[in-house]
PDB file of all heavy atoms in Angstrom:
ATOM      1  N   TYR X  60       6.841  25.576  12.493  1.00  0.00           N
ATOM      2  CA  TYR X  60       8.079  26.217  12.828  1.00  0.00           C
ATOM      3  C   TYR X  60       9.251  25.240  12.634  1.00  0.00           C
ATOM      4  O   TYR X  60       9.105  23.999  12.894  1.00  0.00           O
ATOM      5  CB  TYR X  60       8.090  26.644  14.316  1.00  0.00           C
ATOM      6  CG  TYR X  60       7.058  27.718  14.573  1.00  0.00           C
ATOM      7  CD1 TYR X  60       5.725  27.342  14.899  1.00  0.00           C
ATOM      8  CD2 TYR X  60       7.324  29.034  14.387  1.00  0.00           C
ATOM      9  CE1 TYR X  60       4.732  28.316  15.038  1.00  0.00           C
ATOM     10  CE2 TYR X  60       6.399  30.027  14.608  1.00  0.00           C
ATOM     11  CZ  TYR X  60       5.079  29.657  14.933  1.00  0.00           C
ATOM     12  OH  TYR X  60       4.093  30.610  15.066  1.00  0.00           O
ATOM     13  N   TYR X  61      10.360  25.755  12.191  1.00  0.00           N
ATOM     14  CA  TYR X  61      11.587  24.949  12.052  1.00  0.00           C
ATOM     15  C   TYR X  61      12.695  25.717  12.575  1.00  0.00           C
ATOM     16  O   TYR X  61      12.941  26.861  12.157  1.00  0.00           O
ATOM     17  CB  TYR X  61      11.811  24.583  10.548  1.00  0.00           C
ATOM     18  CG  TYR X  61      13.017  23.684  10.310  1.00  0.00           C
ATOM     19  CD1 TYR X  61      12.933  22.370  10.773  1.00  0.00           C
ATOM     20  CD2 TYR X  61      14.107  24.151   9.754  1.00  0.00           C
ATOM     21  CE1 TYR X  61      14.045  21.511  10.580  1.00  0.00           C
ATOM     22  CE2 TYR X  61      15.176  23.289   9.499  1.00  0.00           C
ATOM     23  CZ  TYR X  61      15.154  22.006   9.935  1.00  0.00           C
ATOM     24  OH  TYR X  61      16.269  21.183   9.767  1.00  0.00           O
ATOM     25  N   GLU X  62      13.409  25.102  13.545  1.00  0.00           N
ATOM     26  CA  GLU X  62      14.544  25.769  14.223  1.00  0.00           C
ATOM     27  C   GLU X  62      14.138  27.137  14.770  1.00  0.00           C
ATOM     28  O   GLU X  62      14.852  28.141  14.638  1.00  0.00           O
ATOM     29  CB  GLU X  62      15.763  25.873  13.311  1.00  0.00           C
ATOM     30  CG  GLU X  62      16.323  24.537  12.888  1.00  0.00           C
ATOM     31  CD  GLU X  62      17.438  24.545  11.954  1.00  0.00           C
ATOM     32  OE1 GLU X  62      17.747  25.572  11.334  1.00  0.00           O
ATOM     33  OE2 GLU X  62      18.152  23.519  11.889  1.00  0.00           O
ATOM     34  N   GLY X  63      12.865  27.184  15.335  1.00  0.00           N
ATOM     35  CA  GLY X  63      12.427  28.391  15.982  1.00  0.00           C
ATOM     36  C   GLY X  63      11.860  29.423  15.093  1.00  0.00           C
ATOM     37  O   GLY X  63      11.354  30.518  15.568  1.00  0.00           O
ATOM     38  N   LYS X  64      11.813  29.219  13.776  1.00  0.00           N
ATOM     39  CA  LYS X  64      11.293  30.229  12.827  1.00  0.00           C
ATOM     40  C   LYS X  64      10.068  29.667  12.166  1.00  0.00           C
ATOM     41  O   LYS X  64       9.975  28.490  11.830  1.00  0.00           O
ATOM     42  CB  LYS X  64      12.364  30.525  11.773  1.00  0.00           C
ATOM     43  CG  LYS X  64      13.592  31.169  12.279  1.00  0.00           C
ATOM     44  CD  LYS X  64      14.556  31.401  11.149  1.00  0.00           C
ATOM     45  CE  LYS X  64      15.871  31.888  11.729  1.00  0.00           C
ATOM     46  NZ  LYS X  64      17.035  31.364  11.048  1.00  0.00           N
ATOM     47  N   ALA X  65       9.088  30.566  11.928  1.00  0.00           N
ATOM     48  CA  ALA X  65       7.894  30.170  11.191  1.00  0.00           C
ATOM     49  C   ALA X  65       8.255  29.873   9.744  1.00  0.00           C
ATOM     50  O   ALA X  65       9.046  30.549   9.160  1.00  0.00           O
ATOM     51  CB  ALA X  65       6.857  31.317  11.230  1.00  0.00           C
ATOM     52  N   VAL X  66       7.719  28.791   9.241  1.00  0.00           N
ATOM     53  CA  VAL X  66       7.976  28.336   7.877  1.00  0.00           C
ATOM     54  C   VAL X  66       6.691  28.016   7.149  1.00  0.00           C
ATOM     55  O   VAL X  66       5.755  27.679   7.748  1.00  0.00           O
ATOM     56  CB  VAL X  66       8.984  27.169   7.767  1.00  0.00           C
ATOM     57  CG1 VAL X  66      10.406  27.587   8.301  1.00  0.00           C
ATOM     58  CG2 VAL X  66       8.416  25.947   8.521  1.00  0.00           C
ATOM     59  N   ASP X  67       6.758  28.122   5.838  1.00  0.00           N
ATOM     60  CA  ASP X  67       5.603  27.764   4.999  1.00  0.00           C
ATOM     61  C   ASP X  67       5.929  26.520   4.218  1.00  0.00           C
ATOM     62  O   ASP X  67       7.023  25.951   4.377  1.00  0.00           O
ATOM     63  CB  ASP X  67       5.221  28.917   4.094  1.00  0.00           C
ATOM     64  CG  ASP X  67       6.306  29.370   3.132  1.00  0.00           C
ATOM     65  OD1 ASP X  67       7.293  28.649   3.012  1.00  0.00           O
ATOM     66  OD2 ASP X  67       6.065  30.396   2.467  1.00  0.00           O
ATOM     67  N   GLY X  68       5.004  26.065   3.410  1.00  0.00           N
ATOM     68  CA  GLY X  68       5.188  24.882   2.652  1.00  0.00           C
ATOM     69  C   GLY X  68       6.261  24.993   1.658  1.00  0.00           C
ATOM     70  O   GLY X  68       6.912  23.987   1.285  1.00  0.00           O
ATOM     71  N   ILE X  69       6.493  26.174   1.142  1.00  0.00           N
ATOM     72  CA  ILE X  69       7.585  26.432   0.146  1.00  0.00           C
ATOM     73  C   ILE X  69       8.924  26.064   0.848  1.00  0.00           C
ATOM     74  O   ILE X  69       9.774  25.305   0.323  1.00  0.00           O
ATOM     75  CB  ILE X  69       7.628  27.855  -0.355  1.00  0.00           C
ATOM     76  CG1 ILE X  69       6.259  28.245  -1.008  1.00  0.00           C
ATOM     77  CG2 ILE X  69       8.794  28.136  -1.228  1.00  0.00           C
ATOM     78  CD1 ILE X  69       5.981  27.581  -2.317  1.00  0.00           C
ATOM     79  N   LYS X  70       9.143  26.638   2.008  1.00  0.00           N
ATOM     80  CA  LYS X  70      10.427  26.378   2.804  1.00  0.00           C
ATOM     81  C   LYS X  70      10.601  24.922   3.123  1.00  0.00           C
ATOM     82  O   LYS X  70      11.663  24.364   3.032  1.00  0.00           O
ATOM     83  CB  LYS X  70      10.462  27.268   4.030  1.00  0.00           C
ATOM     84  CG  LYS X  70      11.714  27.083   4.832  1.00  0.00           C
ATOM     85  CD  LYS X  70      12.960  27.568   4.061  1.00  0.00           C
ATOM     86  CE  LYS X  70      14.152  27.399   4.898  1.00  0.00           C
ATOM     87  NZ  LYS X  70      15.410  27.598   4.028  1.00  0.00           N
ATOM     88  N   ILE X  71       9.504  24.228   3.564  1.00  0.00           N
ATOM     89  CA  ILE X  71       9.560  22.890   3.965  1.00  0.00           C
ATOM     90  C   ILE X  71       9.959  22.020   2.739  1.00  0.00           C
ATOM     91  O   ILE X  71      10.778  21.108   2.818  1.00  0.00           O
ATOM     92  CB  ILE X  71       8.296  22.351   4.612  1.00  0.00           C
ATOM     93  CG1 ILE X  71       8.006  23.158   5.884  1.00  0.00           C
ATOM     94  CG2 ILE X  71       8.416  20.891   4.887  1.00  0.00           C
ATOM     95  CD1 ILE X  71       6.583  22.946   6.469  1.00  0.00           C
ATOM     96  N   THR X  72       9.322  22.338   1.613  1.00  0.00           N
ATOM     97  CA  THR X  72       9.651  21.661   0.289  1.00  0.00           C
ATOM     98  C   THR X  72      11.108  21.814  -0.025  1.00  0.00           C
ATOM     99  O   THR X  72      11.776  20.917  -0.435  1.00  0.00           O
ATOM    100  CB  THR X  72       8.738  22.164  -0.762  1.00  0.00           C
ATOM    101  OG1 THR X  72       7.300  21.863  -0.405  1.00  0.00           O
ATOM    102  CG2 THR X  72       9.012  21.447  -2.086  1.00  0.00           C
ATOM    103  N   GLN X  73      11.634  23.057   0.150  1.00  0.00           N
ATOM    104  CA  GLN X  73      13.031  23.313  -0.155  1.00  0.00           C
ATOM    105  C   GLN X  73      13.919  22.463   0.766  1.00  0.00           C
ATOM    106  O   GLN X  73      14.878  21.831   0.260  1.00  0.00           O
ATOM    107  CB  GLN X  73      13.380  24.789   0.051  1.00  0.00           C
ATOM    108  CG  GLN X  73      12.752  25.710  -1.005  1.00  0.00           C
ATOM    109  CD  GLN X  73      12.895  27.187  -0.602  1.00  0.00           C
ATOM    110  OE1 GLN X  73      13.113  27.559   0.553  1.00  0.00           O
ATOM    111  NE2 GLN X  73      12.690  28.033  -1.558  1.00  0.00           N
ATOM    112  N   LEU X  74      13.544  22.364   2.007  1.00  0.00           N
ATOM    113  CA  LEU X  74      14.349  21.534   2.958  1.00  0.00           C
ATOM    114  C   LEU X  74      14.342  20.057   2.499  1.00  0.00           C
ATOM    115  O   LEU X  74      15.366  19.422   2.528  1.00  0.00           O
ATOM    116  CB  LEU X  74      13.825  21.608   4.291  1.00  0.00           C
ATOM    117  CG  LEU X  74      13.941  22.899   5.093  1.00  0.00           C
ATOM    118  CD1 LEU X  74      13.071  22.984   6.336  1.00  0.00           C
ATOM    119  CD2 LEU X  74      15.432  23.144   5.456  1.00  0.00           C
ATOM    120  N   LEU X  75      13.165  19.529   2.136  1.00  0.00           N
ATOM    121  CA  LEU X  75      13.090  18.171   1.730  1.00  0.00           C
ATOM    122  C   LEU X  75      13.756  17.909   0.414  1.00  0.00           C
ATOM    123  O   LEU X  75      14.426  16.841   0.309  1.00  0.00           O
ATOM    124  CB  LEU X  75      11.581  17.728   1.622  1.00  0.00           C
ATOM    125  CG  LEU X  75      10.820  17.694   2.960  1.00  0.00           C
ATOM    126  CD1 LEU X  75       9.300  17.547   2.687  1.00  0.00           C
ATOM    127  CD2 LEU X  75      11.326  16.588   3.873  1.00  0.00           C
ATOM    128  N   LYS X  76      13.742  18.781  -0.474  1.00  0.00           N
ATOM    129  CA  LYS X  76      14.387  18.631  -1.757  1.00  0.00           C
ATOM    130  C   LYS X  76      15.922  18.769  -1.698  1.00  0.00           C
ATOM    131  O   LYS X  76      16.612  18.292  -2.515  1.00  0.00           O
ATOM    132  CB  LYS X  76      13.810  19.617  -2.861  1.00  0.00           C
ATOM    133  CG  LYS X  76      12.395  19.246  -3.279  1.00  0.00           C
ATOM    134  CD  LYS X  76      12.342  17.892  -3.929  1.00  0.00           C
ATOM    135  CE  LYS X  76      10.930  17.578  -4.480  1.00  0.00           C
ATOM    136  NZ  LYS X  76      10.902  16.184  -5.079  1.00  0.00           N
ATOM    137  N   ALA X  77      16.383  19.401  -0.635  1.00  0.00           N
ATOM    138  CA  ALA X  77      17.842  19.589  -0.436  1.00  0.00           C
ATOM    139  C   ALA X  77      18.455  18.372   0.347  1.00  0.00           C
ATOM    140  O   ALA X  77      19.695  18.291   0.415  1.00  0.00           O
ATOM    141  CB  ALA X  77      18.120  20.884   0.320  1.00  0.00           C
ATOM    142  N   ASP X  78      17.610  17.477   0.856  1.00  0.00           N
ATOM    143  CA  ASP X  78      18.089  16.306   1.651  1.00  0.00           C
ATOM    144  C   ASP X  78      18.114  15.128   0.760  1.00  0.00           C
ATOM    145  O   ASP X  78      17.167  14.729   0.132  1.00  0.00           O
ATOM    146  CB  ASP X  78      17.086  16.152   2.758  1.00  0.00           C
ATOM    147  CG  ASP X  78      17.445  15.014   3.732  1.00  0.00           C
ATOM    148  OD1 ASP X  78      18.249  14.161   3.376  1.00  0.00           O
ATOM    149  OD2 ASP X  78      16.939  15.005   4.887  1.00  0.00           O
ATOM    150  N   ASN X  79      19.335  14.461   0.731  1.00  0.00           N
ATOM    151  CA  ASN X  79      19.532  13.315  -0.111  1.00  0.00           C
ATOM    152  C   ASN X  79      18.595  12.133   0.247  1.00  0.00           C
ATOM    153  O   ASN X  79      18.245  11.349  -0.583  1.00  0.00           O
ATOM    154  CB  ASN X  79      20.989  12.800  -0.009  1.00  0.00           C
ATOM    155  CG  ASN X  79      21.892  13.625  -0.807  1.00  0.00           C
ATOM    156  OD1 ASN X  79      21.505  14.319  -1.826  1.00  0.00           O
ATOM    157  ND2 ASN X  79      23.176  13.722  -0.392  1.00  0.00           N
ATOM    158  N   LYS X  80      18.076  12.132   1.504  1.00  0.00           N
ATOM    159  CA  LYS X  80      17.190  11.021   1.904  1.00  0.00           C
ATOM    160  C   LYS X  80      15.792  11.322   1.461  1.00  0.00           C
ATOM    161  O   LYS X  80      14.969  10.366   1.407  1.00  0.00           O
ATOM    162  CB  LYS X  80      17.175  10.934   3.449  1.00  0.00           C
ATOM    163  CG  LYS X  80      18.452  10.408   4.069  1.00  0.00           C
ATOM    164  CD  LYS X  80      18.275  10.363   5.595  1.00  0.00           C
ATOM    165  CE  LYS X  80      19.549   9.956   6.247  1.00  0.00           C
ATOM    166  NZ  LYS X  80      19.433   9.986   7.728  1.00  0.00           N
TER     167      LYS X  80
END
Side-chain angles (χ1 to χ4, degrees):
Y60 296 87
Y61 184 68
E62 297 179 343
K64 297 180 186 140
V66 293
D67 61 10
I69 301 292
K70 180 64 179 169
I71 300 168
T72 300
Q73 291 169 342
L74 291 168
L75 293 169
K76 289 300 186 180
D78 182 339
N79 284 334
K80 292 181 185 173

